[in-house]
């Protein structure tokens, strides 16, 4: 995002409703966005897998096997990876990029932060509609 881009901070709900291990779902201008609190880190991604469109909010979160030499198995990115619940494509929660083709396949990721006690999304423009979905997953 360059400095010319107008940004809009949208407060969604109190931080107390997205505690560690919890997930929430919102719909902004018709696009579902899944929000996660993983070990105190906040992440937000589009709730639609780019492969066949299943909801990413149900994905499992963990790490993955990193590129390595033959017969070496290196685990990394612990709790930064979400796996699609249908076929297991893995995405970096922070960047939205896939592990297998980071420059070709990704899911939209959003900047999310705490602002005055609320979860806030930073968007490129002021949204027309913000809907809190009836979804709240606790650990
Ligand atoms: S629908 Fe997500 S990997 Fe296939």
């Amino acid at each position: 995002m360059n400095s010319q881009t107008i940004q809009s901070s949208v407060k969604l709900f109190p931080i107390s409703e997205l505690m560690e291990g919890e997930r929430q779902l919102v719909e902004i201008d018709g696009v579902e966005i899944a929000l996660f609190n993983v070990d105190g880190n906040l992440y937000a991604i589009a709730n639609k897998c780019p492969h066949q469109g299943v909801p990413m909010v149900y994905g499992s979160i963990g790490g993955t096997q990193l590129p390595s030499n033959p017969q070496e198995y290196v685990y990394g990115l612990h709790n930064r990876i979400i796996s699609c619940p249908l076929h297991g494509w893995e995405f970096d929660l922070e960047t939205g990029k896939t592990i297998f083709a980071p420059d070709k396949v990704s899911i939209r990721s959003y900047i999310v932060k705490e602002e005055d006690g609320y979860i806030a999304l930073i968007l490129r423009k002021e949204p027309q509609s913000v809907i809190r979905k009836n979804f709240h997953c606790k650990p």
Side-chain angles (χ1 to χ4, degrees):
M1 228 176 270
N2 65 39
S3 58
Q4 302 292 314
T5 305
I6 298 170
Q7 294 188 346
S8 174
S9 174
V10 180
K11 287 183 185 171
L12 299 173
F13 47 78
I15 183 77
S16 60
E17 296 178 24
L18 189 64
M19 301 305 284
E20 235 175 89
E22 293 184 350
R23 302 167 181 210
Q24 290 272 7
L25 196 56
V26 296
E27 184 181 311
I28 296 182
D29 290 344
V31 176
E32 283 191 354
I33 299 173
L35 300 126
F36 305 86
N37 181 336
V38 185
D39 295 338
N41 299 308
L42 301 174
Y43 300 106
I45 59 171
N47 191 35
K48 190 174 176 184
C49 179
H51 183 216
Q52 289 184 358
V54 305
M56 292 300 295
V57 75
Y58 297 111
S60 62
I61 294 174
T64 192
Q65 185 175 313
L66 300 176
S68 58
N69 294 322
Q71 302 200 1
E72 279 184 11
Y73 300 95
V74 181
Y75 175 81
L77 296 173
H78 182 66
N79 279 352
R80 270 264 307 269
I81 301 298
I82 186 164
S83 300
C84 174
L86 191 54
H87 304 112
W89 284 15
E90 295 177 322
F91 302 86
D92 184 328
L93 275 166
E94 196 163 299
T95 65
K97 293 183 175 193
T98 49
I99 299 306
F100 65 92
D103 296 328
K104 291 185 180 161
V105 183
S106 62
I107 197 165
R108 173 110 188 253
S109 66
Y110 298 83
I111 298 171
V112 58
K113 60 183 185 174
E114 181 185 355
E115 197 174 286
D116 302 326
Y118 281 78
I119 297 292
L121 273 179
I122 309 301
L123 303 172
R124 293 185 191 136
K125 62 180 175 114
E126 191 76 31
Q128 299 300 303
S129 83
V130 177
I131 299 169
R132 179 93 175 268
K133 303 295 278 194
N134 187 18
F135 178 95
H136 187 193
C137 178
K138 297 183 176 193

